[in-house]
Amino acid sequence: MNGNVEVVVVGGGYGGVTAANSLARRDGVSVTLVNPRPDFVERIRLHQLVTGSDDAVVGFGEVLGGNVRLVVDTATRIDAAERRVSLAGGGTVSYDYLVYAVGSGASDPGVPGAAEFAHSVSDLEGAERLRSALAATPASDPVTVVGAGPTGLETAAELAELGRKVTLVCGDVLGSSLHAQGRRPVARRLAKLGVTVLEGPRARVTEVTRDGVQLGDGRELPSAVTVWTAGFRVPDLAARSGLRTDTEGRLVTDATLTSVDDVRIVAAGDAAVMTDRPFRMSCQAAVQLGPGAADTILRRIAGKTPARVRMLFAGQCLSLGRNEGVTQFSYLNDRVNALHISGRLGAGVKEIACRFTLNQLVSGARKASSRASHGDSTDRLESPQSEDRTTPSSTRRAA
């Protein structure tokens, strides 16, 4: 590679961090990561943050290579023509290549009262607000969890294990992403924890109020705290920047993760969609897409044709409280099959998966930092608007 190539990674989630570390290992490539928080969030543990069994936060100093510059700020616009990213703090960051890895968050439910009265567990701030709301609510008061995907199932079980009176409103079938046989141990576990499960098309929330929810069949459920876990949305940064997106706002890419509008913009994670190979929003996808995006950029720098990104899936791991869980296996194309593990072993597999994922990030950071230790390091860049919170912790915090 001739000269120095500047790569900006927008977003410090699983996809962004793995992409940044992969790129930072190469000589002649300088990497800047832009993220609104000074810490990495273990999103797959946010339901644990709500109940206090984990804080779901790791310092970037642990998971990000020491030769990656960290800018704690929010990207507000990508100027593809000028190859420049505008920041909320007023500055800009220029790039030769950009990795679009802004992730996803809670969707707008589109249900009256939901935005005002329902809580989210899809991002750090939402999970912290939910934890505070629960702390201010008597343990005997009813809690409603809306949505029976992985986030809803894990949140409902986690709360019920603490003794909360939980109702889970599925909107359709319990655990729709699971195989029918994999749903059975989930249902048994929730029943054991005392969770009331409401299934079927009429068990859909039509309104959320301060102290309850109303269902499509006319039932009104008392609810001191309502948690909305149904659906995710992506930030509108790509659309605001004039880049092509799908109907859900995800950046449209080809099979090499390259934007269909600009070969200098490559995507990783939930906020993108390959036109001919859609994938499920997940941590499992993001940790494959990050290195895939890095490989596409490195091949272009080297004057080579990027390869199609290949994704392989193993299944879904669910924790159902601290003592039990379900691991749902799948074919390599992410289609679930009947094979599953439940009970304490299922919980153990989920914990191993969480730790393995974090260890992968830590390992990637060390490999990237090893280049810096040989005299090719760059100083971290911290946002002047965030000086009081940009010193990454070097050890993992546990609640």
Side-chain angles (χ1 to χ4, degrees):
M1 292 179 281
N2 297 322
N4 189 72
V5 177
E6 298 283 348
V7 181
V8 171
V9 179
V10 182
Y14 296 99
V17 168
T18 52
N21 285 336
S22 296
L23 289 161
R25 293 171 61 182
R26 299 302 182 95
D27 291 334
V29 178
S30 296
V31 183
T32 298
L33 185 140
V34 178
N35 192 65
R37 306 180 188 90
D39 295 303
F40 174 78
V41 177
E42 281 194 275
R43 187 168 174 177
I44 53 179
R45 289 192 185 273
L46 283 176
H47 60 287
Q48 291 183 247
L49 182 151
V50 171
T51 57
S53 64
D54 198 288
D55 72 355
V57 172
V58 181
F60 272 122
E62 188 171 349
V63 300
L64 197 62
N67 53 342
V68 177
R69 299 190 302 167
L70 174 64
V71 176
V72 181
D73 210 330
T74 300
T76 57
R77 188 175 184 275
I78 299 167
D79 186 335
E82 297 294 329
R83 297 180 196 164
R84 184 171 57 210
V85 180
S86 297
L87 304 176
T92 61
V93 183
S94 298
Y95 65 85
D96 295 306
Y97 288 91
L98 180 139
V99 178
Y100 188 80
V102 295
S104 62
S107 64
D108 180 359
V111 172
E116 182 179 1
F117 299 114
H119 292 270
S120 167
V121 71
S122 64
D123 57 36
L124 178 64
E125 292 76 15
E128 289 176 335
R129 287 191 293 269
L130 173 57
R131 181 174 179 176
S132 297
L134 289 166
T137 304
S140 58
D141 283 6
V143 175
T144 301
V145 177
V146 182
T151 303
L153 296 175
E154 291 188 319
T155 302
E158 203 82 20
L159 293 172
E161 192 173 66
L162 284 184
R164 292 283 180 176
K165 182 181 177 183
V166 179
T167 297
L168 178 64
V169 181
C170 300
D172 193 4
V173 65
L174 177 72
S176 60
S177 66
L178 306 175
H179 189 277
Q181 293 193 32
R183 294 174 198 148
R184 294 171 185 169
V186 174
R188 287 196 298 269
R189 174 60 174 167
L190 293 177
K192 182 179 178 181
L193 291 171
V195 177
T196 299
V197 177
L198 303 181
E199 296 184 81
R202 294 181 62 79
R204 295 179 182 271
V205 175
T206 57
E207 185 179 359
V208 180
T209 63
R210 188 181 301 277
D211 54 7
V213 299
Q214 184 166 334
L215 304 183
D217 59 7
R219 282 179 291 177
E220 294 186 9
L221 307 177
S223 181
V225 178
T226 300
V227 187
W228 198 282
T229 69
F232 292 93
R233 64 165 177 79
V234 300
D236 64 351
L237 177 61
R240 281 189 284 112
S241 302
L243 299 170
R244 201 174 317 178
T245 62
D246 67 359
T247 56
E248 297 179 5
R250 295 177 294 181
L251 180 70
V252 177
T253 77
D254 63 16
T256 71
L257 298 177
T258 304
S259 165
V260 295
D261 296 317
D262 192 324
V263 296
R264 297 278 180 159
I265 298 176
V266 181
D270 291 353
V273 59
M274 289 187 276
T275 52
D276 60 342
R277 301 171 62 199
F279 53 86
R280 175 171 53 90
M281 290 184 178
S282 65
C283 165
Q284 190 173 176
V287 295
Q288 298 180 73
L289 294 168
D295 184 68
T296 291
I297 290 174
L298 292 172
R299 283 175 179 264
R300 283 216 166 88
I301 292 172
K304 299 178 180 179
T305 301
R308 292 169 63 91
V309 174
R310 188 184 182 197
M311 299 179 65
L312 302 175
F313 293 87
Q316 303 171 41
C317 298
L318 302 176
S319 62
L320 300 173
R322 294 297 86 215
N323 301 312
E324 292 192 27
V326 170
T327 297
Q328 166 71 73
F329 292 96
S330 71
Y331 300 105
L332 295 181
N333 64 0
D334 204 27
R335 184 168 64 88
V336 296
N337 56 44
L339 184 61
H340 64 274
I341 298 173
S342 60
R344 288 186 176 274
L345 183 56
V349 172
K350 171 59 186 283
E351 183 60 26
I352 289 172
C354 290
R355 293 185 182 183
F356 177 76
T357 301
L358 180 61
N359 288 339
Q360 275 189 307
L361 302 185
V362 173
S363 176
R366 289 172 179 166
K367 291 176 181 177
S369 296
S370 67
R371 196 194 90 185
S373 68
H374 288 87
D376 194 17
S377 65
T378 52
D379 294 331
R380 287 181 182 272
L381 175 65
E382 298 173 352
S383 169
Q385 282 73 30
S386 308
E387 291 179 353
D388 61 331
R389 57 189 187 94
T390 51
T391 303
S393 60
S394 59
T395 57
R396 189 169 190 281
R397 301 199 299 270

